């Protein structure tokens, strides 16, 4: 916003308008948006852990060739089979209380996984719960449900219906927390030999200021193999009592950057 310097009165009132505009961006747009980026990163990381560990265990238990893939070697992982031994029905991933690092994040606590079939089979529902679980000292709470919707090899496309229910994230100092629930579709595809994930759906929650918000996907969020953050996509975020603001993750570059725009003003943010 460019202010006129010709009239003191005009400058004064323009200054008030600018201050008001910036206050809205800072006081709500940034809070709701940053809460959401933390939640997306945290529950996305949780999803990566579950996908990796379940696949390794299923491949080793039921595959024709044992996998040499390495998951999270610092965790203590145990599992049980179904009554007929046809699938893994529960897995406990225990990182202990001291914490250990994987994919650039430090985890503490437990992840408890239960399912009603092989995760790789359409129709299977994988339930993910946590117990005193932390990522980089943020406490993560809630239940994640992952339903395999199936897919095709040609073209390569597989989908999951993914929900976060009762999600809550508490800051490392324990003084601030927010609620976050999501109902989304995850679509796995290939660009050449590089896997990518498209995420779209809805989110609702209450930010750390106690303001309720809703989020709609306006362009699918994109995550690519080898980058620990979302690289593309847009969301419309609507805190109650405030204007809709747009979170833009960029053009596909893995740079940890995004922008939030509201009322014609745009601010750069760094992704957690």
């Amino acid at each position: 916003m460019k202010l006129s310097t010709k009239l003191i009165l005009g400058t004064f009132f323009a200054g008030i308008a600018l201050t008001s505009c910036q206050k809205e961006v800072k006081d709500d747009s940034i809070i709701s948006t940053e809460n959401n980026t933390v939640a997306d990163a945290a529950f996305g990381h949780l999803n990566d852990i579950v996908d990796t560990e379940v696949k390794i265990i299923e491949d080793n238990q039921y595959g024709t060739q044992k996998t040499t893939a390495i998951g999270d070697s610092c965790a203590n992982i145990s599992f049980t089979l179904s009554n007929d031994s046809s699938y893994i029905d529960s897995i406990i991933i225990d990182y202990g209380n001291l914490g250990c690092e994987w994919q650039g994040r430090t985890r503490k606590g437990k992840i408890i996984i239960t399912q009603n079939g092989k995760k790789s089979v359409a129709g299977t529902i994988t339930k993910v719960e946590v117990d005193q679980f932390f990522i980089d000292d943020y406490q993560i709470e809630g239940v994640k449900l992952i339903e395999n919707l199936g897919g095709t090899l040609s073209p390569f496309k597989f989908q999951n219906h993914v929900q976060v229910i009762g999600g809550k994230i508490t800051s490392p100092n324990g003084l601030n927390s927010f609620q976050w629930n999501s109902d989304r579709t995850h679509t796995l595809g290939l660009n050449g030999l590089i896997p990518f994930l498209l995420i779209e759906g809805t989110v609702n929650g209450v930010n750390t200021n106690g303001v309720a918000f809703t989020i709609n996907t306006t362009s699918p969020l994109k995550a690519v193999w080898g980058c620990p953050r979302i690289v593309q996509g847009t969301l419309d975020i609507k805190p109650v009592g405030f204007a809709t603001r747009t979170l833009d993750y960029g053009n596909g570059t893995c740079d940890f950057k995004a922008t939030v725009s509201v009322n014609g003003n745009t601010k750069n943010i760094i992704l957690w």
Side-chain angles (χ1 to χ4, degrees), residues 5-201:
T5 58
K6 293 182 179 180
L7 295 175
I8 295 177
L9 190 59
T11 303
F12 176 73
F13 283 111
I16 292 176
L18 177 62
T19 301
S20 176
C21 224
Q22 289 179 333
K23 187 175 189 299
E24 184 183 9
V25 171
K26 177 177 175 54
D27 288 354
D28 205 90
S29 170
I30 297 305
I31 289 174
S32 294
T33 301
E34 289 187 341
N35 287 171
N36 181 71
T37 60
V38 170
D40 255 332
F43 285 105
H45 190 70
L46 182 60
N47 208 81
D48 288 345
I49 297 169
V50 173
D51 284 348
T52 299
E53 300 302 342
V54 173
K55 185 177 188 309
I56 289 173
I57 294 172
E58 285 189 347
D59 285 350
N60 281 328
Q61 191 70 26
Y62 301 108
T64 56
Q65 185 175 1
K66 303 301 182 184
T67 180
T68 59
I70 298 175
D72 197 340
S73 59
C74 69
N76 181 15
I77 301 175
S78 59
F79 65 90
T80 61
L81 302 178
S82 61
N83 290 334
D84 62 0
S85 299
S86 63
Y87 63 90
I88 311 293
D89 69 356
S90 69
I91 302 172
I92 297 177
I93 304 173
D94 188 352
Y95 295 102
N97 298 321
L98 298 179
C100 56
E101 188 273 339
W102 183 65
Q103 290 190 350
R105 301 285 196 189
T106 299
R107 280 74 45 76
K108 302 176 186 177
K110 295 180 182 179
I111 300 172
I112 301 101
I113 303 166
T114 54
Q115 45 189 19
N116 61 355
K118 292 181 181 178
K119 190 173 184 298
S120 56
V121 175
T124 294
I125 296 177
T126 301
K127 183 179 182 180
V128 183
E129 299 172 281
V130 290
D131 180 13
Q132 290 297 302
F133 182 65
F134 296 78
I135 301 177
D136 291 346
D137 292 326
Y138 283 84
Q139 184 172 6
I140 315 301
E141 300 176 74
V143 175
K144 189 161 194 172
L145 299 177
I146 306 168
E147 180 184 3
N148 187 333
L149 301 180
T152 60
L153 289 174
S154 184
F156 188 90
K157 179 181 178 181
F158 289 87
Q159 290 188 313
N160 287 330
H161 177 211
V162 181
Q163 298 172 278
V164 173
I165 301 169
K168 179 182 177 182
I169 297 182
T170 302
S171 63
N173 62 15
L175 299 178
N176 300 298
S177 65
F178 64 91
Q179 301 169 36
W180 194 86
N181 305 284
S182 66
D183 190 339
R184 290 165 153 177
T185 299
H186 289 196
T187 302
L188 179 65
L190 284 178
N191 182 9
L193 297 176
I194 306 300
F196 65 87
L197 187 69
L198 298 179
I199 303 168
E200 52 190 323

Side-chain angles (χ1 to χ4, degrees), residues 36-37 40 184 187 191 195-201 216-225 227-236 246-259 271:
N36 181 71
T37 60
D40 255 332
R184 290 165 153 177
T187 302
N191 182 9
F196 65 87
L197 187 69
L198 298 179
I199 303 168
E200 52 190 323
N216 291 308
T217 307
T218 49
S219 176
L221 306 186
K222 186 175 184 179
V224 296
W225 180 262
C227 184
R229 305 294 186 274
I230 294 169
V231 300
Q232 194 171 0
T234 56
L235 301 174
D236 274 355
T246 298
L247 172 61
D248 188 340
Y249 281 93
N251 60 6
T253 303
C254 184
D255 58 9
F256 288 49
K257 297 178 182 178
T259 61
L271 300 176

